[in-house]
Amino acid sequence: MENIFTDREIKYRHLIELEQKLDEIQDVDVLLEKILTETRSIVNADAGSIYIIEGNNLKIKHAQNDTQLRSLPLGEKLPYLFFSFPISKNSIAGYVAETKETLIINDAYNVPESCPYKFNKQTDLTTNYKTKSIYTIPLVMHNGIVLGVLQIINKLDQNGNVISFNQDDDSFIAHFALAAVRALKRAYDTRETHRKMLKLSEFRDPKETYTHVERVSSISLEIYDRWAFEQNIPEEERQVYRDNLKIAAKFHDIGKVGISDVILKKPARFSEEERAIMKSHTCIGAMLFYPPETELDQMSLDVALRHHERWDGSEAGYPGEKYTEANNFVGFQLGDPIINTKPLKGKDIPLAARIVSVADVFDALSHKRCYKDAWSLDDAFSEIQNGSGTQFDPEIVLAFIKVRERVEKILLDYSDIEEI
């Protein structure tokens, strides 16, 4: 049968499919990355960035550049970026955020002098890249609130030559941006609900700050991305898993909301009974997600329940095989101590819990607490390596070590000087 659809109609059908995929993503950061990736694919752009609004600043969340990525070893990512700048008409992204107007620039190095904005050449000079065509669009809700700015760079023709963005590109991206804004609003609402839950945990235990759980979440995602590459996990499976992991990792210690203040905030060492009760935060956290109704619930349950199990199955791991969702945690009640039971071992421990275990211990080591000083980064990384094969899954540790540079940048991005 002869194809009755035009190229334009086919592209709009593809847009609808992409928009449906956006609605399936729950985490804001994962969604932002997906929006940038898919927008670039729509118009065959070589690079791009996506920014969010933080107060009066624009903050970069993701940057992509296929030309630069091809120069890196397989499996590596571009450097983790974190910087922000004031919203003003002096920069291209700032102009778009302030005016809520889309900008199409054919030649970044020849912006008319009459324009209030200028192209910043510094990034090109630093990376030895040449920006030419730029498409920048605000992500605006119906009420006029700007959620962020999407910037696409260097559209390519079929031969890989940089060309200008055209009217069709403007139409396709503007259409996709509407769906992106709807998905972002939903994801932000979900994140706010999760944030309130996690702030409750912080109120109960000041050591479990919101920046701590954000770091553990982001580090866990970096570990998984590297592990998934090494294991050749299919892309579609990888995308679903990383979206759930980014959220589930934040709930690893949510069960501490059910621990008595007498124990939780005790300044001295625990007695054996107090320590057994403290260990019960794993079961309390898991019960918040029981019975699981979604894949995210199941992963959150696994992470909360199993992130203190040990790879070698030694007795230091807990809560052990007695406490499982299959038997509703053996009638566990709030305030019950964890009774000694055979710990889980190896791959019986869910993957998400094995990943979060590494991220959580590393972050705790590398930050100051009321009972200890922060370890140096070298010492903290060495401690994780020393635990390979005993406390931690060796494959997960290897992936963690390979993403060290990105982990260190995450620590800077989510620094929390208020922790004591």
Side-chain angles (χ1 to χ4, degrees):
M1 174 183 276
E2 184 178 344
N3 188 353
I4 61 174
F5 297 111
T6 65
D7 288 343
R8 187 179 179 85
E9 288 171 331
I10 292 172
K11 203 157 191 176
Y12 270 119
R13 285 172 172 261
H14 180 55
L15 279 178
I16 293 172
E17 293 176 1
L18 293 180
E19 291 166 6
Q20 291 172 342
K21 289 182 179 179
L22 293 187
D23 288 333
E24 297 171 359
I25 299 174
Q26 304 161 91
D27 179 74
V28 170
D29 288 341
V30 173
L31 178 58
L32 288 166
E33 186 176 10
K34 185 69 170 178
I35 290 169
L36 177 58
T37 299
E38 297 302 350
T39 307
R40 288 177 51 231
S41 74
I42 291 168
V43 294
N44 194 31
D46 185 53
S49 301
I50 192 163
Y51 305 84
I52 61 169
I53 306 292
E54 283 196 349
N56 295 319
N57 289 344
L58 277 175
K59 179 179 179 180
I60 192 166
K61 290 302 294 184
H62 295 284
Q64 299 172 353
N65 189 306
D66 286 349
T67 295
Q68 293 176 357
L69 190 62
R70 283 192 293 270
S71 68
L72 300 177
L74 288 176
E76 287 194 18
K77 298 181 181 181
L78 294 174
Y80 184 96
L81 296 178
F82 65 98
F83 63 84
S84 62
F85 52 91
I87 297 174
S88 77
K89 294 182 179 179
N90 295 332
S91 67
I92 294 171
Y95 179 90
V96 168
E98 190 164 314
T99 65
K100 304 176 187 178
E101 298 175 2
T102 297
L103 272 182
I104 301 177
I105 298 173
N106 294 328
D107 189 347
Y109 284 78
N110 286 290
V111 175
E113 290 292 330
S114 59
C115 294
Y117 49 84
K118 297 290 182 291
F119 172 66
N120 186 349
K121 305 174 184 177
Q122 188 56 48
T123 301
D124 276 7
L125 294 173
T126 302
T127 60
N128 196 30
Y129 186 75
K130 182 64 180 292
T131 299
K132 188 173 183 182
S133 56
I134 306 176
Y135 182 102
T136 313
I137 186 172
L139 301 174
V140 188
M141 294 195 298
H142 289 302
N143 60 7
I145 295 177
V146 181
L147 295 180
V149 171
L150 179 61
Q151 189 168 83
I152 309 301
I153 295 170
N154 286 357
K155 177 182 176 179
L156 304 177
D157 64 16
Q158 293 180 343
N159 298 316
N161 300 311
V162 177
I163 57 176
S164 300
F165 294 96
N166 57 38
Q167 189 172 356
D168 277 351
D169 297 327
D170 184 32
S171 177
F172 292 137
I173 296 177
H175 188 283
F176 187 62
L178 292 175
V181 168
R182 289 195 299 269
L184 270 176
K185 176 61 169 63
R186 172 187 48 74
Y188 273 122
D189 289 344
T190 299
R191 186 172 74 173
E192 183 61 18
T193 299
H194 293 161
R195 189 189 69 83
K196 289 174 181 176
M197 291 177 63
L198 293 163
K199 289 298 286 185
L200 176 62
S201 179
E202 181 179 337
F203 293 154
R204 293 296 323 286
D205 183 5
K207 297 188 296 299
E208 297 301 317
T209 65
Y210 188 66
T211 45
H212 164 69
V213 298
E214 286 287 353
R215 286 193 303 265
V216 170
S217 171
S218 295
I219 293 171
S220 295
L221 188 62
E222 293 297 336
I223 294 171
Y224 173 74
D225 282 347
R226 185 68 201 199
W227 177 89
F229 170 79
E230 302 286 353
Q231 301 297 318
N232 294 312
I233 303 299
E235 181 64 22
E236 186 172 346
E237 178 183 341
R238 189 183 309 186
Q239 290 300 320
V240 173
Y241 195 94
R242 69 198 302 270
D243 181 36
N244 288 325
L245 178 63
K246 187 69 164 51
I247 297 173
K250 298 178 183 181
F251 292 112
H252 62 282
D253 274 339
I254 190 68
K256 288 184 178 179
V257 298
I259 302 298
S260 165
D261 280 352
V262 174
I263 296 174
L264 194 62
K265 299 179 181 180
K266 183 178 179 179
R269 294 176 65 87
F270 292 142
S271 68
E272 287 302 314
E273 182 179 2
E274 289 170 336
R275 188 175 302 281
I277 294 174
M278 186 66 182
K279 289 179 178 180
S280 72
H281 78 273
T282 54
C283 291
I284 297 170
M287 291 175 73
L288 291 173
F289 302 99
Y290 183 84
E293 298 180 356
T294 64
E295 289 183 7
L296 175 59
D297 283 348
Q298 183 62 63
M299 188 181 292
S300 299
L301 187 157
D302 289 340
V303 166
L305 186 63
R306 301 301 180 190
H307 71 286
H308 284 295
E309 303 282 2
R310 292 176 62 100
W311 176 257
D312 63 0
S314 62
E315 292 183 359
Y318 63 90
E321 63 180 14
K322 177 179 179 179
Y323 299 92
T324 66
E325 80 177 82
N327 56 14
N328 198 11
F329 309 105
V330 197
F332 174 84
Q333 299 294 319
L334 196 67
D336 286 352
I338 291 294
I339 300 171
N340 288 338
T341 179
K342 183 179 179 182
L344 266 61
K345 180 179 180 180
K347 293 188 177 180
D348 287 340
I349 305 168
L351 173 63
R354 304 195 316 260
I355 292 171
V356 172
S357 176
V358 170
D360 182 36
V361 171
F362 172 79
D363 193 71
L365 291 174
S366 57
H367 287 83
K368 182 180 179 181
R369 295 290 186 266
C370 59
Y371 53 85
K372 74 169 189 65
D373 291 329
W375 289 29
S376 71
L377 291 183
D378 284 343
D379 286 346
F381 275 101
S382 294
E383 184 68 11
I384 298 298
Q385 281 186 294
N386 292 339
S388 177
T390 52
Q391 186 171 357
F392 307 119
D393 179 347
E395 290 180 352
I396 299 303
V397 171
L398 182 60
F400 172 72
I401 297 303
K402 288 184 176 180
V403 296
R404 173 169 178 162
E405 182 178 347
R406 294 183 66 84
V407 168
E408 291 181 356
K409 294 293 180 62
I410 288 170
L411 299 187
L412 292 173
D413 191 17
Y414 289 101
S415 61
D416 53 349
I417 58 175
E418 78 278 6
E419 286 196 43
I420 57 172

